[in-house]
DNA sequence: TAATATTTGCAACATTGTTGCATTTGAAAT
DNA sequence: ATTTCAAATGCAACAATGTTGCAAATATTA
């Protein structure tokens, strides 16, 4: 969907930074890091503005954050989801690319007594089809 | 096992920082952050030394790093493992405690064509038995 | 005890992220 | 079209986590 529409639907102001982020990630078709996004954007935004935009867009489930090995952070469109069916992410250790996968079933029958599960996060590492 | 023995077994020099890290995490019985470790240690070590010790101990599979939501980093004893049976971690969103779980089966039958899986990481979030 | 390869501490720097505050701006109301 | 004002921005400063280079200190081995 058009970035403008997405923002309007959520009653968010239309700003260059927000629009740009959505558009760039949409066009790339895969999660991108802050730098990857910045390099693809025409406008020049302060880092604070970026982070505030990321935060807002995450709060409205317009995008979600993925962290691999800490220090490698990328952002993807859509909301991340929960519980036993986790929205998983694939990380290619060769090209550093990320890919959102369909939910991967996780067997939580072995959880210890008294623990309540609210959400699961899965990072699957390996080689993507390009790098294999 | 005694910290000294662990180090000796891997032909690592016995230093206060390495010994202390192993001992403190062993005693705590759960993964600890850099600060939690520092506060429990008697000696006062430079942050660089800490990180180099963590690195070495990880290379020798004496401990492993766990990252939650990026920015929350903790260290645990033992090696983290791989593939379809992932050594999972439970994160309590109330007390911020971490717990290493038994391997949790992950169904990777839905992986796209041409992708090679080398390792999976799972963070399960929720409430621990104390906080429930 | 002496030799030496490792480890340490310090300084500097990198990345990711947040907060406070004054200024600017998008969009609704007039 | 202009006014209004809450929301967004830019800047400066700071925090957490982590790395690199280099000289000084130290653990083990001979």
């Amino acid at each position: 969907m058009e970035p403008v529409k997405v923002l309007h639907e959520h009653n968010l102001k239309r700003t260059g930074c927000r629009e740009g982020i959505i558009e760039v990630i949409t066009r790339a078709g895969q999660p991108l890091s802050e730098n990857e996004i910045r390099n693809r954007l025409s406008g020049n935004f302060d880092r604070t503005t970026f982070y505030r935009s990321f935060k807002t867009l995450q709060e409205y489930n317009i995008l979600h954050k993925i962290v691999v090995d800490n220090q490698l952070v990328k952002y993807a469109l859509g909301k991340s989801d929960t519980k036993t069916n986790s929205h998983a992410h694939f990380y290619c250790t060769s090209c550093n690319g990320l890919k959102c996968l369909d939910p991967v079933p996780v067997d939580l029958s072995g959880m210890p007594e008294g623990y309540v599960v609210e959400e699961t996060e899965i990072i699957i590492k390996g080689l993507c089809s390009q790098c294999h």
Side-chain angles (χ1 to χ4, degrees), chain A:
Chain A
M1 203 197 309
E2 305 280 304
V4 194
K5 275 194 182 173
V6 178
L7 292 173
H8 195 253
E9 257 184 12
H10 291 84
N11 290 315
L12 287 171
K13 281 192 187 174
R14 172 189 181 183
T15 70
C17 192
R18 290 175 182 170
E19 261 194 82
I21 290 173
I22 297 175
E23 196 190 315
V24 163
I25 300 182
T26 305
R27 202 165 46 212
Q30 66 169 310
L32 300 177
S33 67
E34 176 199 335
N35 267 323
E36 289 169 335
I37 294 170
R38 188 201 310 289
N39 294 337
R40 287 166 165 79
L41 276 185
S42 40
N44 197 31
F45 301 96
D46 188 81
R47 291 188 50 250
T48 315
T49 305
F50 261 105
Y51 282 109
R52 283 195 273 232
S53 295
F54 287 140
K55 203 176 182 182
T56 303
L57 295 175
Q58 282 177 88
E59 281 164 3
Y60 285 79
N61 283 321
I62 294 169
L63 53 80
H64 63 279
K65 183 161 87 169
I66 308 152
V67 185
V68 183
D69 280 345
N70 80 323
Q71 304 304 71
L72 174 59
V73 178
K74 302 217 180 191
Y75 298 88
L77 293 178
K79 67 190 274 287
S80 70
D81 39 30
T82 50
K83 296 238 173 147
T84 50
N85 250 345
S86 173
H87 173 167
H89 296 109
F90 185 88
Y91 172 64
C92 177
T93 53
S94 171
C95 67
N96 300 313
L98 267 181
K99 182 182 171 65
C100 292
L101 301 173
D102 291 333
V104 169
V106 177
D107 178 7
L108 296 179
S109 57
M111 284 295 299
E113 196 77 35
Y115 280 69
V116 181
V117 174
E118 288 167 347
E119 193 182 339
T120 64
E121 281 174 21
I122 304 183
I123 300 280
I124 301 174
K125 298 186 194 176
L127 299 173
C128 71
S129 48
Q130 310 279 334
C131 296
H132 176 208

